[in-house]
């Protein structure tokens, strides 16, 4: 009996040791696969050839303690996992990855990564609660683990229109365990914030890095004191009045849209009721309208036919008149006796021909006489009397006074007459 009990105890101890020794191996496999599958778009070359099944994915990491559970109150898809790191040249750079709706995100290794400065999560404006004072509880459960954070820093950003971006931040206390981190602090959220970040500083971060996020905001009284202020200062009564006015304006716009929607629906309902009440009358009106339209179309067709008949008759009459006129014109033209007129025309043509012949004979005699004129003397003998006559005529012209215009006109007419006469003597027409 004692041997049996010892044997059973040894088997139980061996089974217990085996179970505890397999837990680290199983956790490592699950977390590694989860990080790789969540970053398939940023996977390392070797990771593209790895395959995982449903048993390799860790649904949710274990919390630090049962008392650390955080009931999520924000849209986690509006949050980012942010890495601050130095590149090979010592330049500080940043990389952001969005959390999914389940609150999971994984950060892959940047190509120019040299060392880490911080890793943390940023709550964007769409995920922040309205302006006011809150208790903020955050839990990030890392499924890659094995890190030690040196400090936790809560910062905020506010973009002021046409001005610089306002920044604010403060170190806060936190709890950590193998990469998991828990932050519980009070914060005064101002209106118009661009983001609130919770950053854990460390220098020995090994990537890829991933995990699940939960964030809970609990409203505090307006007079409560807070550990962390945000960019732009505390939430003042003036900010509250401004937000109230903005919310009132939005509410008025919403009410206007609702009223417009109701009006459109009432109009549609009225149209339906009107159609139901007047459809028979409309059908009867359509029938009567069709009869009237048909009668009008028949009358129009009859008038058109009559018009075409009148036009055809007018064309026939016009053609007959034109033919009669052509026939009468032909009779008048061909029936007239113009023999006497033709005889007189012939006599006139003969007389003109005889006159032309006689004139030609006279002109031939004159031209022959002109051709026979010879200048046997020298040019000087002819020029002396001409010069003497010319001198006399010039003096007479110079002393004629106002009679010069008559002399000039007479001379021009004489010269023109001589030119015309010579032209006619030479046989010109």
């Amino acid at each position: 009996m004692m041997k049996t009990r010892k044997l059973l105890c040894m088997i139980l101890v061996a089974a217990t040791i085996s179970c505890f020794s397999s837990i680290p191996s199983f956790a490592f496999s699950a977390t590694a696969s989860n990080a790789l599958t969540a970053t398939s778009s940023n996977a390392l070359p070797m990771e593209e050839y790895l395959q995982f099944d449903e048993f390799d994915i860790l649904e949710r990491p274990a919390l630090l303690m049962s008392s650390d559970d955080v009931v999520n109150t924000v849209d986690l898809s509006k949050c980012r996992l942010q890495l601050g790191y130095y590149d090979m040249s010592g330049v500080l750079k940043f990389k952001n990855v969005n959390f999914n709706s389940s609150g999971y995100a994984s950060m892959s290794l940047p190509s120019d990564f040299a060392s880490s400065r911080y890793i943390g999560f940023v709550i964007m404006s769409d995920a922040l609660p309205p302006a006011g004072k809150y208790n903020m509880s955050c839990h990030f459960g890392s499924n890659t683990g094995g890190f030690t954070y040196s400090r936790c820093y809560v910062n905020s950003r506010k973009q002021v229109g046409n001005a610089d971006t306002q920044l604010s931040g403060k170190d806060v206390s936190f709890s950590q365990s193998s990469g998991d981190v828990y932050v519980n602090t009070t914060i005064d959220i101002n209106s118009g914030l661009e983001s609130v970040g919770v950053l854990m500083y460390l220098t020995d971060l090994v990537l890829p890095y991933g995990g699940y996020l939960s964030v809970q905001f609990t409203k505090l009284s307006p007079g409560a004191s807070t550990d962390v202020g945000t960019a732009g200062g505390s939430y003042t009564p003036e900010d509250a009045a401004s937000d109230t006015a903005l919310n009132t304006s939005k509410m008025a716009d919403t009410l206007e849209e609702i009223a417009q929607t109701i009006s459109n629906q009432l109009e549609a309902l009225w149209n339906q009721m009107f159609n139901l009440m007047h459809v028979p009358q409309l059908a009867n009106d359509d029938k009567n309208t069709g009869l009237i339209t048909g009668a009008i179309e028949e009358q129009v067709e009859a008038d058109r036919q009559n018009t075409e008949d009148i036009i055809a008759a007018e064309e026939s009459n016009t053609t007959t008149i034109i033919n009669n006129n052509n026939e009468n014109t032909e009779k008048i033209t061909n029936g007239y006796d113009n023999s006497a007129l033709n005889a007189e025309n012939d006599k006139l043509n003969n007389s003109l021909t005889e006159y032309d012949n006689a004139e030609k004979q006279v002109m031939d005699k004159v031209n022959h006489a002109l051709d026979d004129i010879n200048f046997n003397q020298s040019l000087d003998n002819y020029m002396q009397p001409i010069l003497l006559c010319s001198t006399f005529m010039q003096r007479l012209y110079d002393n004629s006074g106002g009679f010069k215009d008559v002399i000039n006109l007479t001379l021009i007419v004489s010269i023109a007459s001589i030119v015309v006469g010579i032209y006619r003597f030479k046989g010109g027409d």
Side-chain angles (χ1 to χ4, degrees), residues 53 82 159 212 311 320:
D53 54 33
Q82 186 177 89
Q159 178 65 50
Y212 286 84
I311 293 173
T320 302

Side-chain angles (χ1 to χ4, degrees), residues 76 93 95 115 123 134 155 186 202 212 223 227 253 274:
L76 296 174
K93 293 186 175 182
K95 182 178 179 181
S115 62
I123 307 169
Y134 296 88
N155 70 349
T186 55
L202 74 168
Y212 286 84
D227 297 330
D253 294 339
F274 180 85

Side-chain angles (χ1 to χ4, degrees), residues 126-164:
D126 293 342
L128 290 173
K133 297 180 179 180
Y134 296 88
N135 183 83
M136 182 177 69
S137 298
C138 307
H139 175 259
F140 184 80
S142 172
N143 62 354
T144 47
F147 308 114
T148 300
Y149 308 107
S150 60
R151 56 186 282 220
C152 181
Y153 184 78
V154 176
N155 70 349
S156 59
R157 295 170 56 91
K158 181 177 181 179
Q159 178 65 50
V160 181
N162 300 323
D164 295 334

Side-chain angles (χ1 to χ4, degrees), residues 12 30 38 46 74 94 122 143 161 208 231 247 310-311 345 357 411 418 428:
L12 182 59
M46 181 184 69
V74 303
F94 308 94
V122 179
N143 62 354
N247 293 333
I310 293 171
I311 293 173
N345 287 334
N357 291 332
L411 181 62
I418 293 171

Side-chain angles (χ1 to χ4, degrees), residues 133 186 188 220-226:
K133 297 180 179 180
T186 55
D188 187 353
L220 301 178
S221 63
S225 61
T226 55

Side-chain angles (χ1 to χ4, degrees), residues 190-250:
N190 191 23
S191 60
L193 289 181
E194 180 181 340
S195 63
V196 172
V198 180
L199 313 178
M200 288 76 70
Y201 284 76
L202 74 168
T203 57
D204 58 347
L205 179 65
V206 178
L207 297 169
Y209 174 94
Y212 286 84
L213 173 67
S214 293
V215 180
Q216 180 181 8
F217 286 97
T218 303
K219 183 73 172 179
L220 301 178
S221 63
S225 61
T226 55
D227 297 330
V228 180
T230 53
S234 300
Y235 188 64
T236 63
E238 289 78 9
D239 295 330
S242 177
D243 290 344
T244 301
L246 180 61
N247 293 333
T248 302
S249 176
K250 292 181 179 178

